[in-house]
Structure formats: C-alpha cells, structure tokens
Coordinates of all heavy atoms in Angstrom, one line a residue:
M1 N -54.2 37.0 -56.6 CA -54.1 36.3 -57.9 C -54.3 37.3 -59.0 O -55.3 38.0 -59.0 CB -55.2 35.2 -58.0 CG -55.3 34.6 -59.3 SD -56.6 33.4 -59.3 CE -56.1 32.4 -60.6
R2 N -53.4 37.4 -59.8 CA -53.4 38.4 -61.0 C -54.2 37.7 -62.1 O -54.0 36.6 -62.4 CB -52.0 38.7 -61.4 CG -51.9 39.8 -62.4 CD -50.5 40.3 -62.5 NE -50.3 41.2 -63.6 CZ -50.8 42.4 -63.7 NH1 -51.5 42.9 -62.7 NH2 -50.6 43.2 -64.8
R3 N -55.0 38.5 -62.8 CA -55.8 38.0 -63.9 C -55.5 39.0 -65.1 O -55.4 40.2 -64.9 CB -57.2 38.0 -63.7 CG -57.7 37.0 -62.6 CD -59.2 37.1 -62.5 NE -59.7 36.3 -61.4 CZ -60.1 35.0 -61.5 NH1 -60.0 34.4 -62.6 NH2 -60.5 34.4 -60.4
D4 N -55.5 38.4 -66.3 CA -55.5 39.3 -67.5 C -57.0 39.6 -67.8 O -57.8 38.7 -67.7 CB -54.9 38.5 -68.7 CG -53.4 38.3 -68.5 OD1 -52.7 39.1 -67.9 OD2 -52.9 37.3 -69.0
V5 N -57.2 40.9 -68.1 CA -58.6 41.3 -68.3 C -58.7 41.7 -69.8 O -57.9 42.6 -70.3 CB -59.0 42.5 -67.4 CG1 -60.4 42.9 -67.8 CG2 -58.9 42.0 -66.0
Y6 N -59.6 41.1 -70.5 CA -59.9 41.4 -71.9 C -61.3 41.9 -72.1 O -62.2 41.4 -71.3 CB -59.6 40.2 -72.8 CG -58.2 39.7 -72.8 CD1 -57.9 38.6 -72.0 CD2 -57.2 40.3 -73.5 CE1 -56.6 38.1 -72.0 CE2 -55.9 39.9 -73.5 CZ -55.6 38.8 -72.7 OH -54.3 38.4 -72.7
W7 N -61.5 42.8 -73.0 CA -62.8 43.4 -73.2 C -63.4 42.8 -74.5 O -62.7 42.9 -75.6 CB -62.8 44.9 -73.3 CG -62.5 45.5 -72.0 CD1 -61.3 45.5 -71.3 CD2 -63.4 46.2 -71.1 NE1 -61.4 46.2 -70.1 CE2 -62.6 46.6 -70.0 CE3 -64.7 46.6 -71.3 CZ2 -63.2 47.4 -69.0 CZ3 -65.3 47.3 -70.3 CH2 -64.6 47.7 -69.1
Y8 N -64.6 42.3 -74.5 CA -65.3 42.1 -75.7 C -65.6 43.4 -76.4 O -65.7 44.4 -75.8 CB -66.7 41.4 -75.5 CG -66.6 39.9 -75.0 CD1 -67.7 39.4 -74.3 CD2 -65.6 39.1 -75.4 CE1 -67.6 38.1 -73.9 CE2 -65.5 37.8 -75.0 CZ -66.6 37.3 -74.2 OH -66.5 36.0 -73.8
Q9 N -65.6 43.4 -77.7 CA -65.8 44.6 -78.5 C -67.1 45.3 -78.1 O -67.1 46.5 -77.9 CB -65.9 44.3 -80.0 CG -66.1 45.5 -80.9 CD -64.9 46.4 -80.9 OE1 -63.7 45.9 -80.8 NE2 -65.1 47.7 -81.0
S10 N -68.2 44.5 -77.9 CA -69.5 45.2 -77.5 C -69.3 45.9 -76.1 O -69.9 46.9 -75.9 CB -70.6 44.1 -77.5 OG -70.2 43.1 -76.6
A11 N -68.6 45.3 -75.2 CA -68.4 45.9 -73.9 C -67.6 47.2 -74.0 O -67.9 48.2 -73.3 CB -67.8 44.9 -72.9
A12 N -66.6 47.1 -74.8 CA -65.7 48.3 -75.0 C -66.6 49.5 -75.6 O -66.4 50.6 -75.3 CB -64.5 48.0 -75.9
E13 N -67.5 49.1 -76.6 CA -68.3 50.1 -77.2 C -69.3 50.7 -76.2 O -69.6 51.9 -76.2 CB -69.1 49.5 -78.4 CG -68.2 49.2 -79.5 CD -68.8 48.4 -80.6 OE1 -70.0 48.1 -80.5 OE2 -68.1 48.1 -81.6
E14 N -69.8 49.8 -75.3 CA -70.7 50.3 -74.2 C -70.0 51.3 -73.3 O -70.5 52.3 -72.9 CB -71.3 49.1 -73.4 CG -72.3 48.3 -74.1 CD -72.6 47.0 -73.4 OE1 -72.1 46.8 -72.2 OE2 -73.4 46.2 -73.9
L15 N -68.7 51.0 -73.0 CA -67.9 51.8 -72.1 C -67.7 53.2 -72.8 O -67.8 54.2 -72.2 CB -66.6 51.2 -71.7 CG -65.8 52.0 -70.7 CD1 -66.5 52.1 -69.4 CD2 -64.4 51.3 -70.6
A16 N -67.4 53.1 -74.1 CA -67.2 54.4 -74.9 C -68.4 55.2 -74.9 O -68.4 56.5 -74.8 CB -66.7 54.0 -76.3
Q17 N -69.6 54.6 -75.1 CA -70.8 55.4 -75.1 C -71.1 56.0 -73.7 O -71.5 57.1 -73.6 CB -72.0 54.5 -75.4 CG -72.0 54.0 -76.9 CD -73.1 53.0 -77.2 OE1 -73.8 52.6 -76.3 NE2 -73.1 52.6 -78.5
L18 N -70.8 55.2 -72.6 CA -71.0 55.8 -71.3 C -70.0 56.9 -71.1 O -70.4 57.9 -70.5 CB -70.7 54.7 -70.2 CG -70.7 55.1 -68.8 CD1 -72.1 55.7 -68.4 CD2 -70.4 54.0 -67.9
A19 N -68.8 56.8 -71.6 CA -67.8 57.9 -71.4 C -68.2 59.2 -72.1 O -68.0 60.3 -71.6 CB -66.4 57.4 -71.9
A20 N -68.9 59.0 -73.2 CA -69.5 60.2 -73.9 C -70.5 60.9 -73.0 O -70.7 62.1 -73.0 CB -70.0 59.8 -75.2
R21 N -71.3 60.1 -72.3 CA -72.4 60.7 -71.4 C -71.9 61.1 -70.1 O -72.3 62.1 -69.5 CB -73.5 59.7 -71.2 CG -74.3 59.4 -72.5 CD -75.5 58.5 -72.2 NE -75.3 57.5 -71.2 CZ -75.1 56.2 -71.5 NH1 -75.0 55.8 -72.7 NH2 -75.0 55.3 -70.5
N22 N -71.0 60.3 -69.5 CA -70.5 60.6 -68.1 C -69.1 60.0 -67.9 O -69.0 58.8 -67.6 CB -71.5 59.9 -67.1 CG -71.2 60.4 -65.7 OD1 -70.1 60.6 -65.3 ND2 -72.3 60.5 -64.9
A23 N -68.1 60.8 -68.1 CA -66.7 60.3 -68.1 C -66.4 59.8 -66.7 O -65.6 58.9 -66.6 CB -65.8 61.4 -68.5
R24 N -66.9 60.4 -65.6 CA -66.6 60.0 -64.3 C -67.0 58.5 -64.0 O -66.2 57.7 -63.5 CB -67.3 60.9 -63.3 CG -66.8 60.7 -61.9 CD -67.3 61.8 -61.0 NE -68.0 61.1 -59.9 CZ -69.2 61.4 -59.4 NH1 -69.9 62.4 -59.9 NH2 -69.7 60.7 -58.5
H25 N -68.2 58.1 -64.4 CA -68.7 56.8 -64.3 C -67.8 55.8 -65.1 O -67.4 54.7 -64.6 CB -70.1 56.6 -64.6 CG -71.1 57.2 -63.7 ND1 -71.1 56.9 -62.3 CD2 -72.1 58.1 -63.9 CE1 -72.1 57.6 -61.7 NE2 -72.7 58.3 -62.7
A26 N -67.5 56.2 -66.3 CA -66.7 55.3 -67.2 C -65.3 55.1 -66.6 O -64.8 54.0 -66.6 CB -66.6 55.9 -68.6
T27 N -64.7 56.2 -66.1 CA -63.4 56.1 -65.5 C -63.4 55.2 -64.2 O -62.6 54.3 -64.0 CB -62.9 57.4 -65.1 OG1 -62.8 58.2 -66.3 CG2 -61.5 57.4 -64.4
R28 N -64.5 55.3 -63.4 CA -64.6 54.5 -62.2 C -64.7 53.0 -62.6 O -64.1 52.1 -61.9 CB -65.8 55.0 -61.4 CG -66.0 54.3 -60.1 CD -67.1 54.9 -59.3 NE -67.2 54.3 -58.1 CZ -68.3 54.3 -57.3 NH1 -69.3 55.0 -57.7 NH2 -68.3 53.7 -56.2
I29 N -65.5 52.7 -63.6 CA -65.6 51.3 -64.1 C -64.3 50.8 -64.6 O -63.9 49.6 -64.3 CB -66.7 51.2 -65.2 CG1 -68.1 51.4 -64.5 CG2 -66.7 49.9 -65.9 CD1 -69.2 51.6 -65.5
L30 N -63.6 51.6 -65.4 CA -62.3 51.1 -65.9 C -61.3 50.9 -64.8 O -60.6 49.8 -64.8 CB -61.8 52.2 -66.9 CG -60.7 51.8 -67.8 CD1 -61.0 50.6 -68.6 CD2 -60.3 53.0 -68.7
L31 N -61.3 51.7 -63.8 CA -60.3 51.6 -62.7 C -60.7 50.3 -61.9 O -59.8 49.6 -61.4 CB -60.3 52.8 -61.8 CG -59.6 54.0 -62.5 CD1 -59.8 55.3 -61.6 CD2 -58.2 53.8 -62.8
A32 N -62.0 50.1 -61.6 CA -62.4 49.0 -60.8 C -62.1 47.7 -61.5 O -61.6 46.7 -60.9 CB -63.9 49.1 -60.5
T33 N -62.3 47.7 -62.8 CA -62.0 46.5 -63.6 C -60.5 46.2 -63.6 O -60.0 45.1 -63.5 CB -62.5 46.6 -65.0 OG1 -63.9 46.9 -65.0 CG2 -62.3 45.4 -65.8
R34 N -59.7 47.2 -63.8 CA -58.2 47.1 -63.7 C -57.8 46.6 -62.4 O -56.9 45.7 -62.3 CB -57.6 48.4 -64.1 CG -56.0 48.3 -64.1 CD -55.4 49.6 -64.3 NE -55.6 50.4 -63.0 CZ -55.2 51.6 -62.8 NH1 -54.7 52.3 -63.8 NH2 -55.4 52.2 -61.7
D35 N -58.3 47.2 -61.3 CA -57.9 46.7 -60.0 C -58.3 45.3 -59.7 O -57.6 44.5 -59.1 CB -58.6 47.6 -58.9 CG -58.0 49.0 -58.9 OD1 -56.9 49.2 -59.4 OD2 -58.6 49.9 -58.3
F36 N -59.5 44.9 -60.3 CA -59.9 43.5 -60.1 C -58.9 42.6 -60.8 O -58.5 41.5 -60.3 CB -61.3 43.2 -60.7 CG -61.7 41.8 -60.8 CD1 -62.0 41.1 -59.7 CD2 -61.6 41.1 -62.0 CE1 -62.3 39.7 -59.8 CE2 -61.9 39.8 -62.1 CZ -62.3 39.1 -61.0
G37 N -58.4 43.0 -62.0 CA -57.4 42.2 -62.7 C -56.1 42.1 -61.9 O -55.5 41.0 -62.0
R38 N -55.7 43.1 -61.2 CA -54.5 43.1 -60.4 C -54.6 42.3 -59.2 O -53.7 41.6 -58.8 CB -54.1 44.5 -60.1 CG -53.6 45.3 -61.2 CD -53.1 46.7 -60.8 NE -52.6 47.4 -61.9 CZ -52.4 48.7 -61.9 NH1 -52.6 49.4 -60.8 NH2 -52.0 49.3 -63.0
T39 N -55.8 42.4 -58.5 CA -55.9 41.8 -57.1 C -56.9 40.6 -57.0 O -56.9 39.9 -56.0 CB -56.3 42.8 -56.1 OG1 -57.6 43.3 -56.4 CG2 -55.2 44.0 -56.1
S40 N -57.8 40.5 -58.0 CA -58.9 39.6 -58.0 C -59.9 39.9 -56.8 O -60.6 39.0 -56.4 CB -58.4 38.1 -57.9 OG -57.8 37.8 -59.1
H41 N -59.9 41.1 -56.3 CA -60.8 41.5 -55.2 C -61.8 42.5 -55.8 O -61.5 43.3 -56.7 CB -60.0 42.1 -54.1 CG -59.1 41.1 -53.4 ND1 -57.9 41.5 -52.8 CD2 -59.3 39.8 -53.1 CE1 -57.4 40.4 -52.3 NE2 -58.2 39.4 -52.4
G42 N -62.9 42.5 -55.2 CA -64.0 43.4 -55.5 C -65.3 42.8 -55.1 O -65.4 41.7 -54.6
D43 N -66.4 43.5 -55.3 CA -67.7 43.0 -55.0 C -68.2 42.1 -56.2 O -68.9 42.5 -57.1 CB -68.7 44.2 -54.8 CG -70.0 43.8 -54.3 OD1 -70.3 42.5 -54.2 OD2 -70.8 44.6 -53.9
L44 N -67.7 40.9 -56.1 CA -67.9 39.9 -57.2 C -68.9 38.8 -56.7 O -68.9 38.4 -55.6 CB -66.6 39.2 -57.5 CG -66.5 38.4 -58.7 CD1 -66.6 39.3 -60.0 CD2 -65.2 37.7 -58.8
K45 N -69.8 38.5 -57.6 CA -70.8 37.5 -57.3 C -71.1 36.7 -58.6 O -71.2 37.2 -59.7 CB -72.1 38.2 -56.9 CG -73.2 37.3 -56.5 CD -74.4 38.0 -56.0 CE -75.5 37.1 -55.6 NZ -76.7 37.8 -55.2
K46 N -71.2 35.3 -58.4 CA -71.6 34.4 -59.4 C -73.1 34.5 -59.7 O -73.9 34.6 -58.8 CB -71.2 33.0 -59.0 CG -71.7 31.9 -60.0 CD -70.6 31.7 -61.0 CE -70.8 30.4 -61.8 NZ -71.5 30.6 -63.0
L47 N -73.4 34.6 -61.0 CA -74.8 34.7 -61.4 C -75.4 33.3 -61.5 O -74.8 32.5 -62.1 CB -75.0 35.5 -62.7 CG -74.5 36.9 -62.7 CD1 -74.6 37.5 -64.1 CD2 -75.2 37.7 -61.7
E48 N -76.6 33.1 -60.9 CA -77.2 31.8 -61.0 C -77.6 31.5 -62.4 O -78.2 32.3 -63.1 CB -78.4 31.8 -60.1 CG -78.1 31.9 -58.6 CD -79.3 31.8 -57.7 OE1 -80.4 31.4 -58.2 OE2 -79.2 32.3 -56.6
G49 N -77.4 30.3 -62.8 CA -77.9 29.8 -64.1 C -77.1 30.3 -65.2 O -77.5 30.3 -66.4
S50 N -75.9 30.8 -64.9 CA -75.0 31.4 -66.0 C -73.6 31.1 -65.6 O -73.2 30.9 -64.5 CB -75.3 32.9 -66.1 OG -74.4 33.5 -67.0
D51 N -72.7 31.3 -66.7 CA -71.3 31.2 -66.4 C -70.7 32.5 -66.1 O -69.5 32.6 -65.9 CB -70.6 30.6 -67.7 CG -70.9 29.1 -67.9 OD1 -71.3 28.4 -66.9 OD2 -70.9 28.6 -69.0
E52 N -71.5 33.5 -66.1 CA -71.0 34.9 -65.8 C -71.0 35.3 -64.4 O -71.7 34.7 -63.5 CB -71.9 35.9 -66.5 CG -71.8 35.9 -68.0 CD -72.5 37.1 -68.7 OE1 -73.7 37.3 -68.3 OE2 -72.0 37.7 -69.6
W53 N -70.1 36.2 -64.1 CA -70.0 36.8 -62.8 C -70.3 38.3 -62.9 O -70.1 38.9 -64.0 CB -68.6 36.7 -62.2 CG -68.2 35.3 -62.0 CD1 -67.9 34.3 -62.9 CD2 -68.0 34.6 -60.7 NE1 -67.5 33.1 -62.3 CE2 -67.6 33.3 -61.0 CE3 -68.1 35.1 -59.4 CZ2 -67.3 32.4 -59.9 CZ3 -67.8 34.2 -58.4 CH2 -67.4 32.9 -58.7
R54 N -70.7 38.9 -61.8 CA -70.9 40.4 -61.9 C -70.0 41.1 -60.9 O -69.8 40.6 -59.8 CB -72.3 40.8 -61.8 CG -72.9 40.7 -60.4 CD -73.0 42.0 -59.7 NE -73.6 41.8 -58.4 CZ -73.0 41.9 -57.2 NH1 -71.7 42.2 -57.2 NH2 -73.5 41.6 -56.1
L55 N -69.4 42.1 -61.3 CA -68.6 43.0 -60.5 C -69.3 44.3 -60.3 O -69.6 45.0 -61.3 CB -67.2 43.2 -61.2 CG -66.3 44.2 -60.5 CD1 -65.8 43.6 -59.1 CD2 -65.1 44.5 -61.3
R56 N -69.7 44.6 -59.0 CA -70.4 45.8 -58.8 C -69.5 47.0 -58.6 O -68.5 46.9 -57.9 CB -71.3 45.6 -57.5 CG -72.3 46.7 -57.3 CD -73.2 46.4 -56.2 NE -72.5 46.8 -55.0 CZ -73.0 46.7 -53.8 NH1 -74.2 46.2 -53.6 NH2 -72.3 47.0 -52.7
V57 N -69.8 48.0 -59.3 CA -69.1 49.3 -59.3 C -70.1 50.4 -59.1 O -70.6 50.9 -60.1 CB -68.2 49.5 -60.6 CG1 -67.4 50.8 -60.4 CG2 -67.4 48.3 -60.9
G58 N -70.4 50.7 -57.9 CA -71.4 51.7 -57.6 C -72.8 51.3 -58.1 O -73.2 50.2 -57.8
D59 N -73.4 52.1 -58.9 CA -74.7 51.8 -59.5 C -74.5 51.0 -60.8 O -75.5 50.8 -61.5 CB -75.5 53.0 -59.8 CG -76.0 53.6 -58.5 OD1 -76.1 52.9 -57.5 OD2 -76.3 54.9 -58.5
W60 N -73.3 50.6 -61.2 CA -73.1 49.9 -62.4 C -72.6 48.5 -62.2 O -72.1 48.1 -61.1 CB -72.0 50.6 -63.2 CG -72.5 51.9 -63.7 CD1 -72.4 53.1 -63.0 CD2 -73.1 52.2 -64.9 NE1 -73.0 54.1 -63.8 CE2 -73.5 53.6 -64.9 CE3 -73.5 51.4 -66.0 CZ2 -74.1 54.2 -66.0 CZ3 -74.2 52.0 -67.0 CH2 -74.5 53.3 -67.0
R61 N -72.9 47.6 -63.1 CA -72.5 46.2 -63.0 C -71.7 45.8 -64.3 O -72.1 46.1 -65.4 CB -73.8 45.3 -63.0 CG -74.8 45.6 -61.9 CD -74.2 45.3 -60.6 NE -75.1 45.6 -59.5 CZ -75.1 46.8 -58.8 NH1 -74.2 47.7 -59.0 NH2 -75.9 46.9 -57.8
V62 N -70.6 45.2 -64.0 CA -69.7 44.8 -65.0 C -69.8 43.3 -65.1 O -69.5 42.6 -64.0 CB -68.2 45.2 -64.8 CG1 -67.3 44.7 -65.8 CG2 -68.1 46.7 -64.6
F63 N -70.2 42.7 -66.2 CA -70.4 41.3 -66.3 C -69.1 40.6 -66.9 O -68.6 41.1 -67.9 CB -71.6 41.0 -67.1 CG -72.9 41.4 -66.5 CD1 -73.4 42.7 -66.7 CD2 -73.6 40.5 -65.6 CE1 -74.5 43.1 -66.0 CE2 -74.7 40.9 -65.0 CZ -75.2 42.2 -65.2
L64 N -68.6 39.6 -66.2 CA -67.4 39.0 -66.5 C -67.6 37.5 -66.8 O -68.4 36.8 -66.1 CB -66.4 39.1 -65.4 CG -66.1 40.5 -64.9 CD1 -65.4 40.5 -63.5 CD2 -65.2 41.2 -65.9
V65 N -66.7 36.9 -67.7 CA -66.6 35.5 -67.8 C -65.2 35.2 -67.4 O -64.2 35.7 -67.9 CB -66.8 35.1 -69.3 CG1 -66.6 33.6 -69.5 CG2 -68.2 35.5 -69.8
L66 N -65.1 34.3 -66.3 CA -63.8 34.0 -65.8 C -63.4 32.6 -66.2 O -64.1 31.6 -66.1 CB -63.9 34.0 -64.2 CG -64.3 35.3 -63.6 CD1 -64.4 35.2 -62.1 CD2 -63.4 36.4 -64.0
L67 N -62.2 32.6 -66.9 CA -61.6 31.3 -67.3 C -60.2 31.2 -66.8 O -59.3 31.8 -67.5 CB -61.7 31.2 -68.9 CG -63.0 31.3 -69.5 CD1 -62.9 31.4 -71.0 CD2 -63.8 30.0 -69.1
G68 N -60.0 30.5 -65.7 CA -58.6 30.4 -65.2 C -58.1 31.8 -64.7 O -58.7 32.5 -63.9
D69 N -57.0 32.2 -65.3 CA -56.3 33.5 -65.0 C -56.7 34.6 -65.9 O -56.1 35.6 -66.0 CB -54.8 33.3 -65.0 CG -54.3 32.4 -63.9 OD1 -55.1 32.2 -62.9 OD2 -53.1 32.0 -63.9
V70 N -57.8 34.4 -66.6 CA -58.2 35.4 -67.6 C -59.7 35.8 -67.3 O -60.5 34.9 -67.0 CB -58.2 34.8 -69.1 CG1 -58.6 35.8 -70.1 CG2 -56.7 34.4 -69.4
A71 N -60.0 37.1 -67.4 CA -61.3 37.6 -67.2 C -61.7 38.3 -68.5 O -61.0 39.1 -69.0 CB -61.4 38.5 -66.0
Y72 N -62.9 38.0 -69.0 CA -63.4 38.7 -70.2 C -64.6 39.5 -69.8 O -65.6 39.0 -69.2 CB -63.9 37.7 -71.2 CG -62.8 36.8 -71.8 CD1 -62.5 35.5 -71.2 CD2 -62.0 37.2 -72.8 CE1 -61.5 34.7 -71.7 CE2 -61.0 36.4 -73.3 CZ -60.7 35.2 -72.8 OH -59.7 34.4 -73.3
V73 N -64.6 40.8 -70.1 CA -65.7 41.7 -69.8 C -66.7 41.6 -70.9 O -66.3 41.9 -72.1 CB -65.2 43.2 -69.6 CG1 -66.4 44.1 -69.4 CG2 -64.2 43.3 -68.5
S74 N -67.9 41.1 -70.6 CA -68.8 40.8 -71.7 C -69.8 42.0 -71.8 O -70.3 42.2 -73.0 CB -69.6 39.5 -71.4 OG -70.3 39.6 -70.2
K75 N -70.2 42.7 -70.8 CA -71.1 43.8 -70.9 C -71.1 44.6 -69.6 O -70.6 44.2 -68.6 CB -72.5 43.3 -71.2 CG -73.1 42.4 -70.2 CD -74.4 41.8 -70.6 CE -74.8 40.6 -69.7 NZ -75.9 39.8 -70.2
I76 N -71.6 45.9 -69.8 CA -71.7 46.8 -68.7 C -73.2 47.2 -68.6 O -73.8 47.6 -69.7 CB -70.8 48.0 -68.9 CG1 -69.4 47.6 -69.0 CG2 -71.0 49.0 -67.8 CD1 -68.5 48.7 -69.5
R77 N -73.8 47.2 -67.5 CA -75.2 47.6 -67.3 C -75.4 48.5 -66.1 O -74.7 48.3 -65.1 CB -76.1 46.4 -67.2 CG -76.1 45.5 -68.3 CD -76.8 46.1 -69.5 NE -77.0 45.2 -70.6 CZ -76.2 45.2 -71.7 NH1 -75.2 46.1 -71.8 NH2 -76.4 44.4 -72.7
D78 N -76.3 49.4 -66.2 CA -76.7 50.2 -65.1 C -77.5 49.3 -64.2 O -78.2 48.4 -64.6 CB -77.6 51.4 -65.6 CG -77.9 52.4 -64.5 OD1 -77.6 52.1 -63.3 OD2 -78.5 53.4 -64.8
R79 N -77.4 49.5 -62.9 CA -78.1 48.7 -62.0 C -79.6 48.6 -62.2 O -80.3 47.6 -62.0 CB -77.9 49.2 -60.5 CG -78.4 48.3 -59.5 CD -78.0 48.8 -58.1 NE -79.2 48.7 -57.3 CZ -79.5 49.5 -56.3 NH1 -78.6 50.4 -55.9 NH2 -80.6 49.4 -55.6
Q80 N -80.2 49.7 -62.7 CA -81.6 49.8 -62.9 C -82.1 49.0 -64.1 O -83.2 48.7 -64.3 CB -82.0 51.3 -63.1 CG -81.8 52.1 -61.9 CD -82.1 53.6 -62.1 OE1 -82.4 54.0 -63.2 NE2 -82.0 54.3 -61.0
D81 N -81.1 48.7 -65.0 CA -81.5 47.8 -66.2 C -81.5 46.4 -65.7 O -81.9 45.5 -66.3 CB -80.4 48.0 -67.3 CG -80.5 49.4 -67.9 OD1 -81.5 50.1 -67.7 OD2 -79.5 49.7 -68.6

C-alpha cells in the first residue's frame, strides 16, 4: 500500500538539525521514511494512549500520524530521549 508522506515543519527542522550534526543518520531516517511511504513496511508500532505510530530507524524513532493513505511525520527522537 502506497502512502503519501508529509513532514510537519517542526519535524523537518529537527531533521535539518540532525543533518548538520550527523548527515549519515539524517539520510538513513529520510530513506526509511521514504521506503515506508512506498511500501508501508517497516518496524512500525502503535503508541498506547495516542493516535501516533512510531517507525524505528536504528537508534532513532520517527513519530507518524496515519490518516488513510497519508502519513504525517510529527517528530524525530533519539531512542535515549
């Protein structure tokens, strides 16, 4: 199932800040998010008590809001956070 993936402004800014510190991690997150949009596959888990889902990308978590065929990236967090 193909999904359109849109980034909230705050999530895009977080990715840009991460890219300034570590381009490899930022690229990996971007590619994993793009692949999720194409295939709807990945290490995805529904968060309890929330409408958000998390996509695990190594030590990073990409938080998504899924609405039908559309996924919105709401934030990116390091696993330790």
Side-chain angles (χ1 to χ4, degrees):
M1 173 185 202
R2 184 166 172 75
R3 294 182 189 267
D4 292 328
V5 178
Y6 297 102
W7 290 72
Y8 287 154
Q9 182 67 34
S10 58
E13 290 171 0
E14 290 172 2
L15 185 65
Q17 290 173 358
L18 176 61
R21 293 190 320 262
N22 191 326
R24 192 172 122 224
H25 287 306
T27 301
R28 188 172 178 199
I29 289 169
L30 194 57
L31 290 175
T33 305
R34 184 187 67 186
D35 289 343
F36 171 74
R38 289 182 179 168
T39 65
S40 291
H41 292 144
D43 188 354
L44 191 69
K45 182 179 179 182
K46 175 89 166 90
L47 299 177
E48 292 183 20
S50 174
D51 291 334
E52 289 187 317
W53 295 71
R54 74 101 180 109
L55 175 65
R56 191 173 78 178
V57 182
D59 288 337
W60 292 88
R61 304 296 179 260
V62 178
F63 293 89
L64 305 162
V65 177
L66 302 179
L67 299 172
D69 292 343
V70 179
Y72 296 95
V73 178
S74 61
K75 57 189 167 192
I76 300 169
R77 296 290 185 260
D78 187 354
R79 186 178 136 204
Q80 295 174 355
D81 292 344

